[in-house]
Amino acid sequence: MPLALLALAIGAFGIGTTEFVVMGLLPQVAADFGVTIPAAGLLVTGYAVGVVLGAPLMTALGTRIDRKRMLMLLMVLFTAGNLLSALAPGMAVMLAGRIVASLAHGAFFGIGAVVAAELVAPDRKAGAIATMFTGLTVANIVGVPLGTWIGQSAGWRATFALVAALGLVAVLGIARLVPALPRPEGAHLRRELAAFRNAQVVLAMGMTVLGFGGVFAAITYIAPLMTEVAGYPAGALTWLLVLLGVGMFLGNLLGGRFADRHLMPMLFATLGGLTVVLAAFTVTAHHPVAAAATLLLVGALGFATVPPLQKRVLDQAHGAPTLASAVNIGAFNLGNALAALLAGAAIDAGLGYTAPAWVGALMAAGALLLALLSAALERRAPAARVPVPAH
């Protein structure tokens, strides 16, 4: 794999840290601003909505800029947003900082995935995408637990200041390691938008929304679930988040390994497994060891879907993949926002901290149904093109 993928992974590490670290800090942020934990959950929802809106917007603005320069500009925006969050005097300003940082998220991963795929041979594209997303999973092993520990020890503001510094490191890494790839000939917004007329692209994005949304429904409120239901002390959240990150790391490698050869079967297996494991979480959450094991499986199955879903979009939007790739990253976060809202509503309705796992199971089951529909349509399409013999 080219060294340039390391620079993309560094950016992914910073983005992954800021996206997920807030979940372990929700109780501290809520107490500092004098709001409820579900209200503080808006920091998760707001970030996700910003990704959804920012992915197409920033990608469209970048159609006239070479990809390396655009990746650097996106990380500068990301750094500014995290610095604003670190200095926020109130909930509204912190939410604004989260949204500013989130605007870079979708376009960075979308453009980065296209760049990663272009740097390798056709039969290694999913592996290259998985390598870039390794930064995101390593963030959950190192960045998120470390950020959670720093937030609990020195205050959550120190965590976001650290993330801002990571953003600057990513800018330097991209400047040094990523080659100056020329802008593709004929690349313009109208051609990129044409990819969305393909029903398979839309179905893949639907799988993304529901599938990864199912994961987020369970992990958005992981702090109260593991402390109030499983009975862990608050200090255990650090190693529990490491465990979640290890699952994500292993799942991402697994997804990248098999997606190039068995893409749809991989999606069937992971989405089906995710549905079962999330439903089981409502029971295992009451037992500390079983809860930890289930958390590992949720991370593994959830991130095993990422490389195949991203490659599915790139394959179906061939010829104009940049905007579709970025919008699919937005679709991940649309699922995150929807899941956080539904999970928070379930908690507010008095259904308890295990209710988000039920929400996640239902979303994952919906993604599996879309995957089956996509495969059925794909099997019918070649048959429809076979000429009928004349009699």
Side-chain angles (χ1 to χ4, degrees), residues 145-168:
L146 179 62
T148 302
W149 178 78
I150 290 173
Q152 291 174 341
S153 304
W156 57 266
R157 296 180 188 277
T159 297
F160 285 96
L162 176 63
V163 173
L166 281 173
L168 290 178

Side-chain angles (χ1 to χ4, degrees), residues 326-352:
V327 171
N328 195 51
I329 298 297
F332 279 106
N333 286 270
L334 177 59
N336 298 352
L338 179 61
L341 283 174
L342 292 175
I347 294 171
D348 283 337
L351 299 178

Side-chain angles (χ1 to χ4, degrees), residues 10 41 101 143 235 250:
I10 292 172
L250 295 175

Side-chain angles (χ1 to χ4, degrees), residues 195-213 263-264 267-268 271 305-317 324-325 327-335 363 366-375 377-378:
F196 295 93
R197 291 200 295 264
N198 184 340
Q200 291 288 7
V201 171
V202 176
L203 282 171
M205 290 180 179
M207 292 179 235
T208 299
V209 169
L210 294 177
F212 205 72
L263 194 151
M264 292 308 291
L267 284 177
F268 298 152
L271 292 173
T305 67
V306 174
L309 284 172
Q310 197 68 11
K311 184 175 184 292
R312 179 73 172 171
V313 169
L314 290 177
D315 288 347
Q316 299 300 323
S325 177
V327 171
N328 195 51
I329 298 297
F332 279 106
N333 286 270
L334 177 59
M363 294 181 75
L368 177 59
L369 290 176
L370 289 182
L372 293 169
L373 174 61
S374 178
L377 291 176
E378 198 165 44

Side-chain angles (χ1 to χ4, degrees), residues 185-195 318-320:
E185 291 295 326
H188 51 75
L189 187 57
R190 183 179 299 176
R191 184 181 179 188
E192 294 284 344
L193 288 171
H318 54 82

